[in-house]
Each structure stands twice: as structure tokens, then as C-alpha cells.
Amino acid sequence: MLNTNILIQTVQDYINTNLNIDLHRLLLKKSPFSEVSMQEIVQQIKGKQVAQKKFPFLLQEGIIFPPQLNLEQSSSEKTAVYKSGLLKGKKFIDLTSGFGIDAYYLSQNFEEITLIEQNPDLIEIVEHNWGVLGKKATFINQKLEEFLDQNQEYYDVVYLDPARRDDQKNKVFLLEDLSPDILEIQEKLLSISKQVLIKLSPLIDLAYLVSILPGVFRIDIIALKNDVKEVVVFLSKEKAAEIICNGVNLESGENTFTFPFGAEENAHAEYSEPERFIYIPNNSILKAGVFNLIAERFDIKKFHPNTHFYTSNERKADFPGRILEMKVIDSKQIEKKGQFNIISKNYPLKPEEIKKKYQLKDGGNEYLIFTQSKKGKIILKSI
Ligand SMILES: C[S@@+](CC[C@H](N)C(=O)[O-])C[C@H]1O[C@@H](n2cnc3c(N)ncnc32)[C@H](O)[C@@H]1O
């Protein structure tokens, strides 16, 4: 049951003055309010802390935050905004609402919105918050499998962000290990909508996905500041002639590398020793495994079959990743006690070990790359 006493001004003032306090300590204290427990207060403080980074749009009066697990399971505002730009229609349904961050944004270009959530406390919080935000929807507290059994409606978009089933918080990446089990319900999902979007873990294997879900027509690998956050798979009833993949990085703007699924199989990379410019692909592209395709598309050469660094003499400004101007150096040329961003890939020593060996400090504007070309181990330094 929702305890709306946490919204009383004196309680909110207490929460706001304790936003940066040690929460373990606070939990040991007695709540100064008879109607609100210290646990409830700490839950709100945690919620506000997470919201500052993940969903700042909820930092306003009247919003109630759920327990930490529900906060962790939520999408970030930025990835949700990206997805919302891809969708439009009349009817939208989110079958796994959770804290409703995805649903809030993804439904922006829709007239009728339905949210399903099995957790009664959570959907109550979402309904309350959406009221505060002035956003209308139908909120249904039900297992989605039951809902699907009774449903007679047709939707333009069905969205799912399944929860991980294992309590151990082990990283699970098989569809059968998720709740709901997508394989069990996929046929039904495709019979009630034009388009089904499913958000999955970045650890999911793309070839596995395509092999197991016959309706896939698009896959987006979405990174936030080069950290891959989600893989979103788009399904429809009609079989697509080609599956489009997008490696997306949301940083100051949006950078997307688009390619057909399977294109890597026929792509070839040429190899070279480092030339003037060095290219480090965005992580969403590395996740997609299009190591040769990226070389072909940008007319750049690879260092080594297992080294995903690329090089050219001309600058390819559109490259989706970092572009550094560098030169090969001898280990003796490394300035002791110097400050560098250290990258080690396909090299026997880890960055920590390199730092120790050469007495280096982390950070600054200059880079040192330790890696291998076809000729052997090499070290590169920013010019
Ligand atoms: C990962 S969270 C969704 C987070 C959401 N996308 C957001 O951005 O806030 C998954 C949610 O699905 C709900 N869920 C899992 N299986 C379900 C089922 N069979 N029926 C209804 N809800 C389910 C869980 O209770 C959980 O709240």
C-alpha cells in the first residue's frame, strides 16, 4: 500500500536535507515521523539519488520512488528518449511496466497507453506519479500472460523489458531465463500488434537472437557514453528480407552505424602497421562484432585479426568511435611518471600492470596504446 504520508512537506524537507547522508547510519536512527518509517524515508532518498543520474525528469514535487531493485531495473531517461523517437501510432502497450520509465517516453507519440505490471505496489506508484506528471494511461495490475489470454485489442506497438529471473543477480542472457519467457508468448505478441519491441541485456548474443526469434526485422545496440546498456530487438509478423542493425552511441549527440545482419560474413579487412590516424570503434560496434565490415566501410586497415584497432593516413572524420593521431614508440621512450590514458588490448600486460611497470599516472589528454600488429607487440603514443 502506498504511504502518501511521505509527501507531507515536513517529511519531504527531511528527505531533501538528508540527500547526501550515509544511508546505513540513517537507517539505524528512529524516524522523526510517526506515520513514516525510516526505511520509507531512506527509500525516497535512494530514489532521488538514482533519479539525479538516471531519470532527472522525476526530480519534482509529489513523485514517489519504489524500492532499489525497481530503480535498478528501470531504463535511463536517455535510452528511453532515443527509443521514443523510433515509435509512433495510436495504441501503445508496455507489458512489463516496472517503474514506467520506458513507458513514459516510448508512449509519447501515442494516443492510448496501457501499462501492465504484476507487482501491485509498483503499479500503484507509477499510477500516482503519472498523475503528478499529468500523463494519462490505463494501469493494469496483472500477470501479462493472463492479460494476453483475455485481450481482444490490437496495438500499434507492444513493448517488453523482461526481468531477470535469477535471484542471484547472475548475468543471464538466454531468453528462457527471463520473465516473461518471450519464446512462450512470441506468437501471441505478434498476433496482437504490428510491431513488438523487446529490450534485452547487452550480453545477449545477436546470432542466437536471430536464430530463435523468426520475426526479427531490426536490432539496435544502444550505448550511453560508450557503455552498452541494452539490445533492443524489433519483431513483426512478416518475415523481413533483411535484418537491419544499428550500433548506437548516445553521447553529446547520437552516433549510429547501420548495417544488415550477416554483412560481416562477406566483409574483408586489410591489415597494416599503424599509420597516422588510429581508430577505436564505439563499444556498440564491437558488441555487434562487425570488425571487418567497419574496416571496409571506412576504408581503414586493421592492425591484426584479434586487435580491433584500425588505421589510415587520411582522417576519416565520420568514423563511429575515437580517432587519435599517434606514433609508434619504443618502450624506452615512455616518460616515467608521465600521465596518460592507458589502453591495452591484445597485449600481455593489463593497464594496471603497465602503470606499475612504467610508473605512470592515469588520465590527462594523452594516450598510450599497448597492442599487437601482425608484426608483433607495439606501443603507440599520442602526437
Ligand atoms: C526490467 S523491469 C521493467 C522496467 C521498465 N522498462 C522501466 O523502464 O522502468 C521488468 C518488470 O516486469 C515485471 N514482470 C515480469 N514478468 C512479468 C509478468 N509475467 N507479468 C507482468 N509483469 C511482469 C516485473 O515485475 C518488473 O517490474
mmCIF file of all heavy atoms in Angstrom, residues 70 73-75 94-103 116-119 122 142-145 159 161-163 179-180 199, ligand 1:
data_model
loop_
_atom_site.group_PDB
_atom_site.id
_atom_site.type_symbol
_atom_site.label_atom_id
_atom_site.label_comp_id
_atom_site.label_asym_id
_atom_site.label_seq_id
_atom_site.Cartn_x
_atom_site.Cartn_y
_atom_site.Cartn_z
ATOM 1 N N ASN A 70 13.655 -1.996 -8.134
ATOM 2 C CA ASN A 70 12.848 -1.446 -9.218
ATOM 3 C C ASN A 70 13.536 -0.259 -9.889
ATOM 4 O O ASN A 70 13.356 -0.015 -11.079
ATOM 5 C CB ASN A 70 11.464 -1.031 -8.720
ATOM 6 C CG ASN A 70 10.749 -2.153 -7.998
ATOM 7 O OD1 ASN A 70 10.368 -2.025 -6.858
ATOM 8 N ND2 ASN A 70 10.605 -3.282 -8.669
ATOM 9 N N GLN A 73 16.218 -1.773 -12.153
ATOM 10 C CA GLN A 73 15.677 -2.426 -13.345
ATOM 11 C C GLN A 73 15.195 -1.429 -14.394
ATOM 12 O O GLN A 73 14.972 -1.785 -15.543
ATOM 13 C CB GLN A 73 14.493 -3.317 -12.957
ATOM 14 C CG GLN A 73 14.903 -4.607 -12.268
ATOM 15 C CD GLN A 73 13.705 -5.507 -12.029
ATOM 16 O OE1 GLN A 73 12.575 -5.036 -11.922
ATOM 17 N NE2 GLN A 73 13.934 -6.795 -11.944
ATOM 18 N N SER A 74 15.020 -0.180 -13.985
ATOM 19 C CA SER A 74 14.467 0.811 -14.907
ATOM 20 C C SER A 74 15.479 1.215 -15.964
ATOM 21 O O SER A 74 16.677 1.228 -15.715
ATOM 22 C CB SER A 74 14.100 2.085 -14.154
ATOM 23 O OG SER A 74 13.183 1.792 -13.176
ATOM 24 N N SER A 75 14.959 1.621 -17.109
ATOM 25 C CA SER A 75 15.822 2.181 -18.141
ATOM 26 C C SER A 75 16.220 3.582 -17.731
ATOM 27 O O SER A 75 15.591 4.186 -16.866
ATOM 28 C CB SER A 75 15.072 2.268 -19.470
ATOM 29 O OG SER A 75 14.933 1.005 -20.028
ATOM 30 N N ASP A 94 2.793 -1.344 -22.757
ATOM 31 C CA ASP A 94 4.005 -1.853 -22.142
ATOM 32 C C ASP A 94 3.572 -2.988 -21.228
ATOM 33 O O ASP A 94 2.854 -2.775 -20.249
ATOM 34 C CB ASP A 94 4.705 -0.739 -21.353
ATOM 35 C CG ASP A 94 6.062 -1.187 -20.810
ATOM 36 O OD1 ASP A 94 6.253 -2.410 -20.646
ATOM 37 O OD2 ASP A 94 6.907 -0.324 -20.537
ATOM 38 N N LEU A 95 3.992 -4.204 -21.569
ATOM 39 C CA LEU A 95 3.535 -5.385 -20.812
ATOM 40 C C LEU A 95 4.353 -5.617 -19.545
ATOM 41 O O LEU A 95 3.992 -6.453 -18.719
ATOM 42 C CB LEU A 95 3.594 -6.626 -21.705
ATOM 43 C CG LEU A 95 2.580 -6.674 -22.851
ATOM 44 C CD1 LEU A 95 2.892 -7.843 -23.780
ATOM 45 C CD2 LEU A 95 1.152 -6.797 -22.324
ATOM 46 N N THR A 96 5.471 -4.924 -19.417
ATOM 47 C CA THR A 96 6.315 -5.075 -18.212
ATOM 48 C C THR A 96 6.666 -3.666 -17.723
ATOM 49 O O THR A 96 7.844 -3.269 -17.754
ATOM 50 C CB THR A 96 7.612 -5.850 -18.532
ATOM 51 O OG1 THR A 96 8.270 -5.172 -19.613
ATOM 52 C CG2 THR A 96 7.365 -7.286 -18.919
ATOM 53 N N SER A 97 5.680 -2.958 -17.266
ATOM 54 C CA SER A 97 5.840 -1.537 -16.950
ATOM 55 C C SER A 97 6.993 -1.249 -15.997
ATOM 56 O O SER A 97 7.752 -0.308 -16.202
ATOM 57 C CB SER A 97 4.538 -1.009 -16.354
ATOM 58 O OG SER A 97 4.781 0.092 -15.536
ATOM 59 N N GLY A 98 7.145 -2.037 -14.936
ATOM 60 C CA GLY A 98 8.141 -1.708 -13.913
ATOM 61 C C GLY A 98 7.857 -0.324 -13.378
ATOM 62 O O GLY A 98 6.701 0.050 -13.142
ATOM 63 N N PHE A 99 8.909 0.492 -13.238
ATOM 64 C CA PHE A 99 8.758 1.856 -12.730
ATOM 65 C C PHE A 99 8.273 2.811 -13.842
ATOM 66 O O PHE A 99 8.105 4.000 -13.613
ATOM 67 C CB PHE A 99 10.105 2.318 -12.147
ATOM 68 C CG PHE A 99 10.048 3.620 -11.385
ATOM 69 C CD1 PHE A 99 8.941 3.981 -10.640
ATOM 70 C CD2 PHE A 99 11.130 4.497 -11.421
ATOM 71 C CE1 PHE A 99 8.900 5.194 -9.945
ATOM 72 C CE2 PHE A 99 11.102 5.705 -10.727
ATOM 73 C CZ PHE A 99 9.973 6.053 -9.990
ATOM 74 N N GLY A 100 8.104 2.277 -15.040
ATOM 75 C CA GLY A 100 7.444 3.037 -16.104
ATOM 76 C C GLY A 100 8.293 4.085 -16.803
ATOM 77 O O GLY A 100 7.756 4.961 -17.480
ATOM 78 N N ILE A 101 9.612 3.991 -16.675
ATOM 79 C CA ILE A 101 10.461 5.000 -17.340
ATOM 80 C C ILE A 101 10.374 4.829 -18.860
ATOM 81 O O ILE A 101 10.104 5.785 -19.598
ATOM 82 C CB ILE A 101 11.944 4.879 -16.898
ATOM 83 C CG1 ILE A 101 12.056 4.962 -15.374
ATOM 84 C CG2 ILE A 101 12.822 5.909 -17.597
ATOM 85 C CD1 ILE A 101 11.643 6.277 -14.763
ATOM 86 N N ASP A 102 10.574 3.591 -19.321
ATOM 87 C CA ASP A 102 10.444 3.342 -20.758
ATOM 88 C C ASP A 102 9.060 3.758 -21.231
ATOM 89 O O ASP A 102 8.922 4.467 -22.216
ATOM 90 C CB ASP A 102 10.640 1.838 -21.046
ATOM 91 C CG ASP A 102 12.107 1.478 -21.218
ATOM 92 O OD1 ASP A 102 12.867 2.321 -21.717
ATOM 93 O OD2 ASP A 102 12.480 0.353 -20.869
ATOM 94 N N ALA A 103 8.046 3.290 -20.525
ATOM 95 C CA ALA A 103 6.665 3.543 -20.965
ATOM 96 C C ALA A 103 6.388 5.036 -21.070
ATOM 97 O O ALA A 103 5.755 5.492 -22.024
ATOM 98 C CB ALA A 103 5.685 2.902 -19.986
ATOM 99 N N ILE A 116 0.953 -2.716 -18.060
ATOM 100 C CA ILE A 116 0.693 -3.945 -17.302
ATOM 101 C C ILE A 116 1.878 -4.169 -16.363
ATOM 102 O O ILE A 116 3.034 -4.038 -16.782
ATOM 103 C CB ILE A 116 0.604 -5.178 -18.248
ATOM 104 C CG1 ILE A 116 -0.318 -4.910 -19.436
ATOM 105 C CG2 ILE A 116 0.220 -6.439 -17.482
ATOM 106 C CD1 ILE A 116 -1.770 -4.840 -19.135
ATOM 107 N N GLU A 117 1.586 -4.526 -15.132
ATOM 108 C CA GLU A 117 2.663 -4.826 -14.181
ATOM 109 C C GLU A 117 2.107 -5.789 -13.140
ATOM 110 O O GLU A 117 1.023 -5.575 -12.597
ATOM 111 C CB GLU A 117 3.181 -3.530 -13.547
ATOM 112 C CG GLU A 117 4.125 -3.702 -12.369
ATOM 113 C CD GLU A 117 5.374 -4.547 -12.646
ATOM 114 O OE1 GLU A 117 6.083 -4.276 -13.616
ATOM 115 O OE2 GLU A 117 5.615 -5.511 -11.879
ATOM 116 N N GLN A 118 2.907 -6.834 -12.858
ATOM 117 C CA GLN A 118 2.437 -7.850 -11.904
ATOM 118 C C GLN A 118 2.562 -7.400 -10.445
ATOM 119 O O GLN A 118 1.871 -7.905 -9.581
ATOM 120 C CB GLN A 118 3.211 -9.145 -12.123
ATOM 121 C CG GLN A 118 4.701 -9.026 -11.797
ATOM 122 C CD GLN A 118 5.507 -10.261 -12.159
ATOM 123 O OE1 GLN A 118 4.967 -11.206 -12.717
ATOM 124 N NE2 GLN A 118 6.790 -10.245 -11.854
ATOM 125 N N ASN A 119 3.460 -6.439 -10.192
ATOM 126 C CA ASN A 119 3.718 -6.001 -8.820
ATOM 127 C C ASN A 119 2.734 -4.880 -8.440
ATOM 128 O O ASN A 119 2.817 -3.772 -8.963
ATOM 129 C CB ASN A 119 5.178 -5.527 -8.752
ATOM 130 C CG ASN A 119 5.566 -4.968 -7.407
ATOM 131 O OD1 ASN A 119 4.710 -4.587 -6.600
ATOM 132 N ND2 ASN A 119 6.859 -4.888 -7.168
ATOM 133 N N LEU A 122 4.138 -1.510 -7.123
ATOM 134 C CA LEU A 122 4.880 -0.751 -8.139
ATOM 135 C C LEU A 122 3.922 -0.021 -9.092
ATOM 136 O O LEU A 122 4.096 1.168 -9.380
ATOM 137 C CB LEU A 122 5.793 -1.718 -8.907
ATOM 138 C CG LEU A 122 6.834 -1.126 -9.832
ATOM 139 C CD1 LEU A 122 7.690 -0.085 -9.119
ATOM 140 C CD2 LEU A 122 7.733 -2.219 -10.400
ATOM 141 N N GLN A 142 -1.679 -7.039 -13.322
ATOM 142 C CA GLN A 142 -1.973 -8.406 -13.737
ATOM 143 C C GLN A 142 -0.719 -9.050 -14.302
ATOM 144 O O GLN A 142 0.191 -8.352 -14.765
ATOM 145 C CB GLN A 142 -3.045 -8.340 -14.849
ATOM 146 C CG GLN A 142 -3.800 -9.617 -15.058
ATOM 147 C CD GLN A 142 -4.921 -9.452 -16.085
ATOM 148 O OE1 GLN A 142 -4.919 -8.546 -16.905
ATOM 149 N NE2 GLN A 142 -5.882 -10.354 -16.034
ATOM 150 N N LYS A 143 -0.716 -10.370 -14.288
ATOM 151 C CA LYS A 143 0.350 -11.088 -14.991
ATOM 152 C C LYS A 143 0.088 -10.908 -16.478
ATOM 153 O O LYS A 143 -1.056 -11.049 -16.916
ATOM 154 C CB LYS A 143 0.280 -12.578 -14.653
ATOM 155 C CG LYS A 143 0.867 -12.905 -13.317
ATOM 156 C CD LYS A 143 1.948 -13.942 -13.527
ATOM 157 C CE LYS A 143 2.809 -14.075 -12.328
ATOM 158 N NZ LYS A 143 4.217 -14.214 -12.629
ATOM 159 N N LEU A 144 1.102 -10.613 -17.231
ATOM 160 C CA LEU A 144 0.857 -10.321 -18.643
ATOM 161 C C LEU A 144 0.328 -11.528 -19.406
ATOM 162 O O LEU A 144 -0.426 -11.378 -20.374
ATOM 163 C CB LEU A 144 2.116 -9.746 -19.301
ATOM 164 C CG LEU A 144 3.342 -10.640 -19.478
ATOM 165 C CD1 LEU A 144 3.345 -11.308 -20.824
ATOM 166 C CD2 LEU A 144 4.592 -9.810 -19.328
ATOM 167 N N GLU A 145 0.686 -12.727 -18.945
ATOM 168 C CA GLU A 145 0.208 -13.932 -19.628
ATOM 169 C C GLU A 145 -1.321 -14.011 -19.511
ATOM 170 O O GLU A 145 -2.010 -14.344 -20.479
ATOM 171 C CB GLU A 145 0.833 -15.203 -19.020
ATOM 172 C CG GLU A 145 2.333 -15.355 -19.247
ATOM 173 C CD GLU A 145 3.210 -14.560 -18.276
ATOM 174 O OE1 GLU A 145 2.660 -13.783 -17.462
ATOM 175 O OE2 GLU A 145 4.449 -14.698 -18.355
ATOM 176 N N TYR A 159 5.536 -3.251 -26.126
ATOM 177 C CA TYR A 159 6.897 -3.152 -25.596
ATOM 178 C C TYR A 159 7.069 -4.081 -24.399
ATOM 179 O O TYR A 159 6.161 -4.199 -23.569
ATOM 180 C CB TYR A 159 7.193 -1.710 -25.167
ATOM 181 C CG TYR A 159 8.601 -1.523 -24.649
ATOM 182 C CD1 TYR A 159 9.691 -1.505 -25.524
ATOM 183 C CD2 TYR A 159 8.861 -1.365 -23.289
ATOM 184 C CE1 TYR A 159 10.994 -1.347 -25.056
ATOM 185 C CE2 TYR A 159 10.169 -1.199 -22.819
ATOM 186 C CZ TYR A 159 11.221 -1.193 -23.713
ATOM 187 O OH TYR A 159 12.508 -1.038 -23.244
ATOM 188 N N ASP A 161 10.190 -5.281 -21.459
ATOM 189 C CA ASP A 161 11.533 -5.194 -20.888
ATOM 190 C C ASP A 161 11.566 -6.259 -19.797
ATOM 191 O O ASP A 161 11.326 -5.974 -18.626
ATOM 192 C CB ASP A 161 11.737 -3.779 -20.327
ATOM 193 C CG ASP A 161 13.040 -3.623 -19.562
ATOM 194 O OD1 ASP A 161 13.874 -4.543 -19.602
ATOM 195 O OD2 ASP A 161 13.210 -2.567 -18.922
ATOM 196 N N PRO A 162 11.814 -7.522 -20.192
ATOM 197 C CA PRO A 162 11.693 -8.619 -19.231
ATOM 198 C C PRO A 162 12.654 -8.477 -18.052
ATOM 199 O O PRO A 162 13.745 -7.911 -18.189
ATOM 200 C CB PRO A 162 12.047 -9.852 -20.060
ATOM 201 C CG PRO A 162 11.905 -9.432 -21.474
ATOM 202 C CD PRO A 162 12.229 -7.979 -21.517
ATOM 203 N N ALA A 163 12.236 -9.028 -16.929
ATOM 204 C CA ALA A 163 13.079 -9.021 -15.735
ATOM 205 C C ALA A 163 13.953 -10.274 -15.765
ATOM 206 O O ALA A 163 13.572 -11.289 -16.343
ATOM 207 C CB ALA A 163 12.207 -9.010 -14.495
ATOM 208 N N SER A 179 11.795 -13.245 -17.330
ATOM 209 C CA SER A 179 10.356 -13.237 -17.021
ATOM 210 C C SER A 179 9.748 -11.997 -17.657
ATOM 211 O O SER A 179 10.160 -10.891 -17.330
ATOM 212 C CB SER A 179 10.158 -13.197 -15.510
ATOM 213 O OG SER A 179 8.793 -12.969 -15.231
ATOM 214 N N PRO A 180 8.833 -12.118 -18.596
ATOM 215 C CA PRO A 180 8.242 -13.362 -19.100
ATOM 216 C C PRO A 180 9.171 -14.109 -20.064
ATOM 217 O O PRO A 180 10.138 -13.542 -20.549
ATOM 218 C CB PRO A 180 7.026 -12.843 -19.881
ATOM 219 C CG PRO A 180 7.485 -11.528 -20.415
ATOM 220 C CD PRO A 180 8.326 -10.938 -19.324
ATOM 221 N N LYS A 199 13.376 -5.238 -24.992
ATOM 222 C CA LYS A 199 14.678 -4.775 -24.509
ATOM 223 C C LYS A 199 15.400 -5.949 -23.851
ATOM 224 O O LYS A 199 14.811 -6.654 -23.025
ATOM 225 C CB LYS A 199 14.471 -3.657 -23.482
ATOM 226 C CG LYS A 199 15.750 -3.229 -22.810
ATOM 227 C CD LYS A 199 15.513 -2.183 -21.769
ATOM 228 C CE LYS A 199 16.605 -2.206 -20.725
ATOM 229 N NZ LYS A 199 16.402 -1.256 -19.647
HETATM 230 C C1 LIG B 1 13.014 -4.691 -16.055
HETATM 231 S S1 LIG B 1 11.531 -4.209 -15.321
HETATM 232 C C2 LIG B 1 10.872 -3.011 -16.410
HETATM 233 C C3 LIG B 1 11.474 -1.651 -16.269
HETATM 234 C C4 LIG B 1 10.860 -0.613 -17.173
HETATM 235 N N1 LIG B 1 11.117 -0.870 -18.552
HETATM 236 C C5 LIG B 1 11.328 0.787 -16.822
HETATM 237 O O1 LIG B 1 11.969 1.431 -17.666
HETATM 238 O O2 LIG B 1 11.038 1.228 -15.708
HETATM 239 C C6 LIG B 1 10.524 -5.608 -15.590
HETATM 240 C C7 LIG B 1 9.179 -5.585 -14.911
HETATM 241 O O3 LIG B 1 8.376 -6.619 -15.472
HETATM 242 C C8 LIG B 1 7.555 -7.172 -14.489
HETATM 243 N N2 LIG B 1 7.179 -8.535 -14.932
HETATM 244 C C9 LIG B 1 7.997 -9.589 -15.107
HETATM 245 N N3 LIG B 1 7.302 -10.668 -15.513
HETATM 246 C C10 LIG B 1 6.000 -10.283 -15.602
HETATM 247 C C11 LIG B 1 4.800 -10.945 -15.952
HETATM 248 N N4 LIG B 1 4.820 -12.225 -16.296
HETATM 249 N N5 LIG B 1 3.659 -10.231 -15.941
HETATM 250 C C12 LIG B 1 3.643 -8.912 -15.585
HETATM 251 N N6 LIG B 1 4.759 -8.234 -15.222
HETATM 252 C C13 LIG B 1 5.920 -8.901 -15.238
HETATM 253 C C14 LIG B 1 8.423 -7.163 -13.242
HETATM 254 O O4 LIG B 1 7.613 -7.184 -12.068
HETATM 255 C C15 LIG B 1 9.230 -5.866 -13.411
HETATM 256 O O5 LIG B 1 8.657 -4.808 -12.697
#
